[in-house]
Amino acid sequence: MKQTAEVQDTRFDALKWAAAVVLVAVAVAGNVYFADQPMIYRVVGVVVLVVAALGIALTTSRGRELTSLAKNAKKEIQRVVWPTRQETFQTTAIVLGAVVIVGLLLWLIDMFFGWLVSTLIG
């Protein structure tokens, strides 16, 4: 029974995607057509149509997969052990120190080669 429902859902996915695309196209065309109207009305119209299109798109199988992915990503972010303020500061200081040292070494190498070339050329 569940498999039949999933097949019907995926059968209507193309229609749902078409409806979402049409809504976005109507939002764009309406924004251009009503260019002489106040901006707030056009913004509200575009936002309403895009939200409706997004709502329709999220009811498709791909949309449900995207929603599931977002929920799982949120759970994963909550499991991450974030560094403390001190660890962040120390890591940043190490990186900045390494950048300064490498920059100075590259500058010295450049100065040496510049001196070498000017000596050879005359």
Side-chain angles (χ1 to χ4, degrees), residues 71-89:
K71 287 178 184 176
N72 290 336
K74 184 177 179 184
K75 288 178 186 176
E76 192 65 31
I77 287 173
Q78 291 171 345
R79 286 187 224 150
V80 171
V81 178
W82 296 101
T84 64
R85 183 177 181 92
Q86 182 182 5
E87 291 171 337
T88 304
F89 180 77

Side-chain angles (χ1 to χ4, degrees), residues 2 6-8 20 42 53 55 68 85 94 100 107 116-118:
K2 186 176 181 180
E6 288 178 13
V7 169
Q8 280 186 328
R42 293 186 293 144
S68 174
R85 183 177 181 92
I94 290 170
V100 168
W107 176 70
L116 184 65
V117 168
S118 66

Side-chain angles (χ1 to χ4, degrees), residues 2-118:
K2 186 176 181 180
Q3 187 177 8
T4 307
E6 288 178 13
V7 169
Q8 280 186 328
D9 283 347
T10 56
R11 184 183 307 157
F12 293 116
D13 279 356
L15 291 173
K16 291 177 182 179
W17 282 113
V21 169
V22 166
L23 284 175
V24 171
V26 167
V28 171
N31 189 39
V32 172
Y33 182 76
F34 293 110
D36 57 336
Q37 298 299 317
M39 176 78 78
I40 188 71
Y41 298 137
R42 293 186 293 144
V43 168
V44 168
V46 168
V47 168
V48 166
L49 289 172
V50 169
V51 166
L54 186 61
I56 291 172
L58 288 177
T59 62
T60 63
S61 60
R62 295 276 184 170
R64 285 190 295 272
E65 289 174 10
L66 180 65
T67 304
S68 174
L69 177 69
K71 287 178 184 176
N72 290 336
K74 184 177 179 184
K75 288 178 186 176
E76 192 65 31
I77 287 173
Q78 291 171 345
R79 286 187 224 150
V80 171
V81 178
W82 296 101
T84 64
R85 183 177 181 92
Q86 182 182 5
E87 291 171 337
T88 304
F89 180 77
Q90 289 173 346
T91 304
T92 304
I94 290 170
V95 169
L96 288 175
V99 166
V100 168
I101 290 170
V102 169
L104 287 173
L105 286 173
L106 290 173
W107 176 70
L108 287 173
I109 291 170
D110 182 56
M111 293 297 289
F112 171 74
F113 281 123
W115 170 80
L116 184 65
V117 168
S118 66

